[in-house]
Amino acid sequence: MNYILDRNLRLRGWSDRLGGLYDSNSGKIWFFGKERFLLLLKCDGAHDIDPESLPEDLRVFFEKMQKEGAVKKAGFLEFLNPKQEYKRYPAAYKRSVHWSVTGACNLKCRHCFMSAPHAKHGAPTHEQILQIVDSIAECGIFDVGITGGEPLIREDFLDIVSTLSERDIHISTIYTNGWLVDEKLLGELEKRGQHPSFQLSYDGVGMHDFLRGVQGAEEKTINAIKLLNERGYGISVSMCVHKKNTDTLRETVKLLASLGVSSMKAGSMMSLGEWSQPEVAELQLSPQENFEMIERYIPQYFEDNAPLSIMLSGAFMYTPGDDEWNIFYKRECDADKEKSASSCGVLTENFYIGADGMVAPCMGMCDCGYAGNFPNLFRTPLREIIAPESDFNRLCHTTVAEVRDKSGKCRDCKYIDRCAGGCRNGALMAGDNYYAPDPENCNFFDNGWEERITAAAQPAFEAYIKRCPPKKRDDIVKPEETVDNCP
């Protein structure tokens, strides 16, 4: 009997991974061991497969693949189309890339770490844009998050979308200030087969215009959120907190939840770019002020029945429906695991391409003192930059053991069992040592904030759980279907 893969599935491999199955419809990738993948290679309509003759583990796997619709019996002369056939890419596997298509912006944000109001990092030409898309496709990267500056100011933005769509590259998220989000844009995205989520910035009720430097920015952002919600787009928000807007946090969260925002991140700004200027530096929260704000707000968040998923710096995060809250800074890793545990799991499968062609592990690193050490894809092919044994890829795969061994501090720290050294971006903000500990992490543990945040959160969480018992993931209802005001 001949079998064939579902038409949305494609056989793919990378320099460091034999093979995976890419779903062009959802953008997801699954990896398999050698024997299972070799079996999938035969699901091309041309090979005869007798399931009963397969070893038991392979037979069970094959039956599961059929049950889930990934594999079916092939029709007469039915074969894989060329796009489905096995292809191996000349680079290490990267799940996605965060790409600045411009370094310019239509707002004048006081806190912009990449100085977009002055277009410090420039903007690639259309020809360079096409070169970058070619490089992304050549490396087998199927997922792109598009950012800026403000990406929607590019006159060729929809051409970029078309080119990505033609290459079967999925736009997972568009990061925007919302000013240019309208019905026409969404319609054009959908015409091109793209339905990304949107991440917008919103910096507090009544305070957004102040930080964004342009009158009317708050109204534009709120209108964009309303439109996106009406059109069924996923919406997340980031809020930059400073001394003038800390008191708006509770009202802001409640407003955003009422508008259909599903998740939110809030934290103080990086002292880079525009925010490093003397006229705004006095607005920066100290670590203590930031953590005190979080400590005050957590009980209010649970009193409001956890209206949306939230992450407050790395000190607190919670998703409604979960049976526990978490501290992101707290990443337990003992000596047995530290040599294999990644210092940052995000960097192992994701990276950043700047508007000037710079390739960095993380967007926040684009303007730090260490940035001169990063490669540029206009000078070095991307496939070489992210090759399995490249210096750049090794940075992305930095282990907890490397941070602890090279920092000169972590090995003697009494919190070594619960801290993985923190964020590499945070380390570079404080100096030019990629392997240094993150000062914000150190501050959190050294000054007793783990205990203080726990004392603030746990009683409030337990009271919330009594009112709103955790639901199984597949039982979580939509906000408009909530019962007893418990999302």
Side-chain angles (χ1 to χ4, degrees):
M1 177 67 67
N2 294 355
Y3 292 84
I4 193 167
L5 295 174
D6 178 83
R7 60 187 178 85
N8 291 319
L9 299 177
R10 298 173 186 185
L11 298 156
R12 296 295 184 259
W14 288 262
S15 295
D16 58 345
R17 303 200 186 192
L18 171 66
L21 206 54
Y22 169 62
D23 185 341
S24 62
N25 190 41
S26 68
K28 295 181 179 180
I29 299 176
W30 295 270
F31 291 97
F32 304 94
K34 182 178 179 180
E35 295 304 317
R36 291 186 174 187
F37 189 68
L38 289 175
L39 178 59
L40 292 176
L41 285 174
K42 294 181 179 180
C43 297
D44 58 1
H47 287 79
D48 181 50
I49 300 175
D50 178 11
E52 297 303 320
S53 67
L54 295 172
E56 183 177 0
D57 62 329
L58 281 182
R59 180 177 56 77
V60 172
F61 166 72
F62 194 66
E63 290 174 353
K64 181 180 179 182
M65 296 299 284
Q66 291 182 77
K67 184 176 181 180
E68 294 179 353
V71 173
K72 65 176 183 178
K73 293 179 181 178
F76 179 67
L77 294 180
E78 183 182 10
F79 306 106
L80 295 180
N81 66 57
K83 286 188 175 182
Q84 290 183 275
E85 294 174 356
Y86 180 65
K87 180 176 181 179
R88 196 171 192 192
Y89 299 99
Y93 169 71
K94 291 289 185 180
R95 184 180 63 82
S96 66
V97 60
H98 195 188
W99 177 24
S100 284
V101 296
T102 180
C105 186
N106 56 339
L107 299 187
K108 300 175 182 179
C109 302
R110 302 171 188 269
H111 67 300
C112 184
F113 65 86
M114 62 187 299
S115 297
H118 308 295
K120 178 179 178 180
H121 293 276
T125 65
H126 186 68
E127 290 70 26
Q128 288 175 320
I129 285 285
L130 296 180
Q131 178 185 340
I132 293 172
V133 173
D134 285 343
S135 297
I136 292 171
E138 181 188 25
C139 294
I141 300 166
F142 304 119
D143 185 288
V144 172
I146 296 182
T147 187
E150 171 51 49
L152 300 183
I153 66 171
R154 285 196 66 110
E155 293 183 357
D156 62 349
F157 179 77
L158 291 175
D159 291 333
I160 297 173
V161 175
S162 296
T163 304
L164 290 168
S165 297
E166 289 164 3
R167 293 303 197 89
D168 292 324
I169 297 173
H170 174 65
I171 302 174
S172 58
T173 308
I174 293 177
Y175 299 79
T176 174
N177 56 43
W179 192 283
L180 298 173
V181 173
D182 56 21
E183 292 275 7
K184 181 180 178 181
L185 170 71
L186 301 182
E188 293 295 334
L189 288 172
E190 291 162 10
K191 283 181 184 177
R192 291 159 175 80
Q194 300 282 0
H195 195 89
S197 64
F198 280 76
Q199 180 168 311
L200 294 91
S201 298
Y202 183 70
D203 301 305
V205 175
M207 290 302 302
H208 188 70
D209 287 2
F210 164 77
L211 198 61
R212 299 290 152 176
V214 175
Q215 190 70 26
E218 182 166 354
E219 181 181 2
K220 288 282 191 178
T221 298
I222 294 298
N223 288 340
I225 291 173
K226 290 179 178 178
L227 174 61
L228 291 166
N229 185 46
E230 291 171 2
R231 293 286 295 264
Y233 284 82
I235 315 164
S236 60
V237 163
S238 61
M239 177 181 178
C240 295
V241 184
H242 54 86
K243 290 183 179 179
K244 285 182 174 289
N245 70 352
T246 54
D247 292 340
T248 72
L249 181 56
R250 185 177 193 176
E251 183 182 2
T252 298
V253 171
K254 293 169 71 173
L255 171 66
L256 293 174
S258 73
L259 296 175
V261 174
S262 61
S263 65
M264 174 185 177
K265 293 181 180 179
S268 57
M269 281 81 89
M270 296 184 290
S271 297
L272 297 170
E274 302 301 290
W275 201 247
S276 64
Q277 303 304 312
E279 59 266 26
V280 292
E282 63 183 22
L283 297 177
Q284 176 71 10
L285 295 174
S286 68
Q288 178 169 331
E289 289 171 326
N290 185 45
F291 294 141
E292 286 176 346
M293 174 201 69
I294 295 169
E295 182 183 35
R296 289 193 303 271
Y297 173 64
I298 292 172
Q300 299 172 353
Y301 170 75
F302 285 122
E303 286 173 13
D304 297 333
N305 291 328
L308 46 64
S309 295
I310 200 165
M311 182 172 184
L312 304 174
S313 297
F316 174 82
M317 57 185 185
Y318 181 69
T319 297
D322 283 356
D323 57 6
E324 62 180 1
W325 60 274
N326 291 287
I327 295 173
F328 183 75
Y329 293 134
K330 189 175 180 180
R331 293 178 55 210
E332 298 179 358
C333 186
D334 58 28
D336 293 333
K337 298 177 181 177
E338 64 176 13
K339 291 184 178 179
S340 59
S342 172
S343 173
C344 177
V346 175
L347 301 187
T348 61
E349 295 190 349
N350 308 272
F351 67 104
Y352 170 71
I353 296 176
D356 54 3
M358 181 189 69
V359 180
C362 176
M363 184 179 185
M365 300 175 183
C366 74
D367 212 26
C368 67
Y370 191 85
N373 295 290
F374 297 132
N376 190 296
L377 58 70
F378 293 139
R379 293 190 289 271
T380 304
L382 183 61
R383 65 178 181 276
E384 295 181 15
I385 293 173
I386 62 173
E389 300 304 320
S390 69
D391 291 341
F392 177 81
N393 204 43
R394 282 195 287 270
L395 279 181
C396 293
H397 286 267
T398 294
T399 64
V400 173
E402 287 179 287
V403 173
R404 289 176 175 174
D405 290 338
K406 294 181 181 182
S407 71
K409 175 183 178 181
C410 292
R411 282 290 170 205
D412 296 325
C413 180
K414 63 180 180 180
Y415 301 107
I416 188 171
D417 63 332
R418 70 190 71 182
C419 174
C423 173
R424 297 304 87 218
N425 184 42
L428 290 179
M429 283 176 58
D432 294 339
N433 182 2
Y434 188 88
Y435 301 97
D438 177 359
E440 192 169 283
N441 252 49
C442 296
N443 185 294
F444 183 80
F445 288 108
D446 288 342
N447 291 291
W449 283 106
E450 178 187 4
E451 293 78 13
R452 288 182 63 169
I453 293 296
T454 299
Q458 192 59 31
F461 175 69
E462 290 174 0
Y464 159 72
I465 287 296
K466 288 181 180 179
R467 297 192 305 274
C468 308
K471 303 176 179 68
K472 294 181 180 179
R473 279 292 169 198
D474 54 1
D475 291 336
I476 295 178
V477 294
K478 297 178 181 180
E480 63 268 21
E481 299 170 342
T482 55
V483 179
D484 298 327
N485 199 32
C486 295

